Amino acid sequence: METDDFLRVLADEGGALAAAAALAGPDASVPTCPGWRMRDLVLHTGAVHRWAAGYVRERHPDRQPFPSPAVPDGELDGWFREGLGALLALLEAAPADLACWTFLTGSPTPRHFWARRQAHETAVHRMDAELAAGQGLSSVTAEFAADGIDELLVGFHSRDRSRLRAERPAVLRVLAADRPGDDWMVHITDGTPRGGRSVPGTPADCEISGPATVLYPVLWNRQPWSAEVKVAGDAAVAALWRSSGGV
């Protein structure tokens, strides 16, 4: 997906999150984020938008402290939308050769990275908000869903901070059954996992497959594993993912 595609998704997902938050109210509990109320979700996502905007605006070369805003409930919606709009404007105007800090592989430029990362950050938390509001999840395209799976497996689960560890090494394969070529493997050990695209001929101990739009919220631990998600091979590896694979 191109940077402008991610920006369109970010705008839509941010609007959907704000609408679900307004419907639920600030005191609504967020079942997918234990201990959080809706105000915590909105504050977190709005703070992430402002944190990301700082890198784009100031060209910071290093990681910056994460903000801890305090916003009255009655001002949350306006505050959130203001931050979202500012982030979108900065990314839209940012030059192609923008140089600033990033923290995941998989993007050709920092501008693309921040548009992609914020689109998925906002989409995942939009799911949280809709679930807290008692709504069904809004749909995303299969292309965006597959990209979110890629970011999770290749980006987040190739970092030292990944909790996906096991004493006995294992290889997990994830297959988007409706997306030819969208096929990944995560090599799990007692150290940092290594996620990437599948290499033909490499055996896997466990395979998880299903439509990209189903796997996206499932792998991010925002939806239960439905009958559309197929598990083949060592079920213990799938169980490990359920307990340690989300972000």
Side-chain angles (χ1 to χ4, degrees), residues 166-183:
E167 292 185 5
R168 180 173 64 86
V171 177
L172 170 66
R173 183 185 185 205
V174 176
L175 174 65
D178 59 337
R179 297 274 303 174
D182 280 333
D183 187 346

Side-chain angles (χ1 to χ4, degrees), residues 38-121:
M38 187 63 81
R39 67 172 59 85
D40 302 308
L41 179 67
V42 175
L43 281 169
H44 168 79
T45 313
V48 171
H49 290 166
R50 286 164 168 77
W51 181 69
Y55 291 104
V56 179
R57 182 178 55 250
E58 305 296 336
R59 313 295 201 262
H60 293 300
D62 303 306
R63 185 183 180 94
Q64 298 298 301
F66 192 77
S68 299
V71 182
D73 288 349
E75 299 175 15
L76 272 174
D77 182 74
W79 174 84
F80 176 83
R81 292 179 185 274
E82 178 185 41
L84 173 65
L87 173 61
L88 285 165
L90 281 164
L91 284 168
E92 287 167 355
D97 62 351
L98 169 72
C100 65
W101 181 80
T102 62
F103 61 92
L104 294 178
T105 61
S107 286
T109 66
R111 180 174 181 263
H112 182 274
F113 167 82
W114 284 111
R116 181 194 195 200
R117 175 80 286 278
Q118 292 310 297
H120 288 298
E121 175 81 11

Side-chain angles (χ1 to χ4, degrees), residues 150-240:
D150 185 87
E151 188 197 46
L152 179 63
L153 300 179
V154 180
F156 280 101
H157 286 297
S158 292
R159 302 177 75 206
D160 291 342
R161 295 176 64 178
S162 171
R163 297 183 296 112
L164 194 63
R165 311 290 172 100
E167 292 185 5
R168 180 173 64 86
V171 177
L172 170 66
R173 183 185 185 205
V174 176
L175 174 65
D178 59 337
R179 297 274 303 174
D182 280 333
D183 187 346
W184 302 267
M185 282 183 167
V186 182
H187 296 258
I188 305 167
T189 67
D190 59 358
T192 302
R194 179 168 51 87
R197 292 283 174 161
S198 290
V199 176
T202 302
D205 298 287
C206 177
E207 178 182 286
I208 300 171
S209 63
T213 54
V214 174
L215 291 177
Y216 181 46
V218 163
L219 293 174
W220 282 86
N221 287 347
R222 262 55 191 192
Q223 284 278 269
W225 292 45
S226 69
E228 292 182 274
V229 179
K230 310 298 184 184
V231 177
D234 189 348
V237 179
L240 175 66

